Amino acid sequence: MKSLKTLGQFIIEKQTDFPYAKGELSRLLRDIGIAAKIVNREVNKAGLVDILGTVGDTNVFGENQKKLDVYADEQFIAALKDGGECCFVASEEQEEGVELTDAGISKNAKYIVCIDPLDGSSNIEVNVSVGTIFSIYRRISQVGEALTQEDLLQTGVRQVAAGYIIYGSSTMLVYTTGKGVNGFTLDPSIGEFCLSHPNMKIPQQGHIYSVNEGNYLKFPQGVKNYIKYCQEEDAATNRPYTSRYIGSMVADIHRNLLLGGVFIYPQTALQPKGKLRLMYECNPIAFIIEQAGGKATTGTERILEIEPEELHQRVPAILGSTDMVNKVLEFLDKS
Ligand code: P6P
């Protein structure tokens, strides 16, 4: 019988990948796993308890905050605070972010976490998969000094770890520390994330394209031409492709990571910088996609090399199977 390997065991085992590591990153990943289990419990019963509906407040973008968004944000921040390894949390739900250095054990913490606590939350009440996306950086300033903008706005290539949790038909945690991508499925009977998808690789080519075609008329011409290309009959290139779009980034990305595909959220006339956020959606997902052998670009530059200008910055995103991303770039270049 195949031996069971929990997330905790795996993290410790992989700690030897980082000779300088003294366990802080391992403990930080453990803390995120704990919060994920707590959020999972509430997501799974969201339809049963009065946890849906808006808090009445709105988040920094004027969107109604659903109670589960707020709950997830609170759980991850609390777990990071109690764990003592994180000095600052940048969250979609927090306009300025949360500094933890004055919280006792976190004052010597070396890591910064950017997080989308519950991405795709508009899907909660229709029971469609939602997710958490996280990105981890090492602080640049010295412990004990004040945190700087340089600490908080680092390029994606400086991530030390990134991952997502998908609360779907099963709950999975998928992460990378720059040495490949591994997936863990939550076994509710023992309350542990167990290694289920070791060394995940995205197929070089696929036949799924994921884009909100409701925005078609507002897309750049190159994206319109690519969508038409996907819809043309051509047995030699496995077309027409299949359109699959859930509207929950983690769910769309996870499916394409497993089966191959391309996810496109381009700039539009209404959203000239795109909709997805760089620091806690695109950078962590781009790190995972590249580590799995795929490609992640805005259409003009590698996502992981973007110099961030502000915490909630938006960027266009074309992510997934390398050959498919390159085909989108071909159409963008031609147009
Ligand atoms: P649209 C969810 O709100 C989200 O941030 C991502 O999870 C998702 O990919 C995207 O927005 C969906 O946006 O405009 O297609 O509904």
Coordinates of all heavy atoms in Angstrom, one line a residue, residues 119-120 212 215 245 247-249 263 265 275-276 281, ligand 1:
D119 N -10.6 33.9 -3.4 CA -10.7 34.4 -4.8 C -11.9 33.7 -5.5 O -12.2 32.5 -5.2 CB -9.5 34.0 -5.5 CG -9.5 34.5 -7.0 OD1 -9.4 35.7 -7.2 OD2 -9.7 33.6 -7.8
G120 N -12.7 34.5 -6.2 CA -13.8 33.9 -6.9 C -15.1 33.9 -6.0 O -16.0 33.1 -6.2
N212 N -13.4 35.0 -20.6 CA -14.8 35.5 -20.5 C -15.2 36.1 -21.8 O -15.0 37.3 -22.0 CB -14.9 36.5 -19.3 CG -16.4 36.9 -19.1 OD1 -17.2 36.7 -20.0 ND2 -16.7 37.5 -18.0
N215 N -16.8 39.6 -22.7 CA -16.0 40.8 -23.0 C -15.4 40.9 -24.4 O -14.6 41.8 -24.7 CB -14.8 40.9 -22.0 CG -15.3 41.0 -20.5 OD1 -16.3 41.6 -20.2 ND2 -14.6 40.3 -19.6
Y245 N -14.7 28.1 -18.9 CA -14.5 29.3 -18.1 C -15.4 29.2 -16.9 O -16.6 29.2 -17.0 CB -14.8 30.6 -18.9 CG -14.3 31.8 -18.2 CD1 -13.0 32.2 -18.1 CD2 -15.2 32.7 -17.6 CE1 -12.5 33.3 -17.5 CE2 -14.8 33.8 -16.9 CZ -13.4 34.1 -16.9 OH -13.0 35.3 -16.2
G247 N -14.9 31.3 -14.0 CA -15.0 32.7 -13.4 C -14.4 32.7 -12.0 O -14.6 33.6 -11.2
S248 N -13.7 31.6 -11.7 CA -12.9 31.5 -10.4 C -11.5 31.2 -10.8 O -11.3 30.0 -11.3 CB -13.6 30.4 -9.6 OG -13.1 30.5 -8.3
M249 N -10.6 32.1 -10.7 CA -9.2 31.9 -11.3 C -8.6 30.6 -10.9 O -8.1 29.9 -11.7 CB -8.3 33.1 -10.9 CG -7.0 33.1 -11.6 SD -6.0 34.4 -11.1 CE -4.7 34.3 -12.4
F263 N -5.3 30.3 -20.1 CA -6.2 31.2 -19.4 C -5.9 32.6 -19.8 O -4.7 33.0 -19.7 CB -6.1 31.0 -17.9 CG -6.9 32.0 -17.1 CD1 -8.2 31.7 -16.7 CD2 -6.4 33.2 -16.7 CE1 -9.0 32.5 -15.9 CE2 -7.1 34.1 -15.9 CZ -8.4 33.8 -15.5
Y265 N -7.0 36.7 -19.4 CA -7.7 37.8 -18.9 C -7.0 39.1 -19.4 O -6.2 39.6 -18.7 CB -7.9 37.8 -17.4 CG -9.2 38.6 -17.0 CD1 -10.3 37.9 -16.5 CD2 -9.4 39.9 -17.3 CE1 -11.5 38.6 -16.3 CE2 -10.6 40.6 -17.1 CZ -11.6 39.9 -16.6 OH -12.8 40.6 -16.4
K275 N -7.9 43.0 -15.2 CA -8.7 42.9 -13.9 C -7.9 42.3 -12.8 O -8.1 42.6 -11.6 CB -10.0 42.1 -14.1 CG -10.8 41.9 -12.8 CD -12.0 41.0 -13.0 CE -12.7 40.9 -11.7 NZ -13.9 40.0 -11.8
L276 N -7.1 41.3 -13.1 CA -6.5 40.5 -12.1 C -5.3 41.2 -11.4 O -4.6 42.0 -12.1 CB -6.0 39.2 -12.7 CG -7.1 38.3 -13.3 CD1 -6.6 37.1 -13.9 CD2 -8.2 38.0 -12.3
E281 N -2.6 37.5 -7.2 CA -3.3 36.6 -8.1 C -2.3 36.2 -9.2 O -1.9 35.0 -9.3 CB -4.5 37.2 -8.7 CG -5.7 37.3 -7.8 CD -6.9 38.0 -8.4 OE1 -6.8 39.1 -9.1 OE2 -8.0 37.5 -8.3
Ligands
P6P1 P1 -15.0 38.0 -14.7 C1 -12.9 36.5 -9.4 O1 -13.6 37.7 -9.1 C2 -11.7 36.9 -10.2 O2 -10.9 37.8 -9.6 C3 -10.9 35.7 -10.7 O3 -11.0 34.6 -9.8 C4 -11.6 35.3 -12.0 O4 -10.7 34.6 -12.9 C5 -12.1 36.6 -12.5 O5 -12.2 37.5 -11.4 C6 -13.4 36.5 -13.2 O6 -13.7 37.8 -13.8 O7 -14.9 39.4 -15.2 O8 -14.8 37.0 -15.9 O9 -16.2 37.7 -13.9

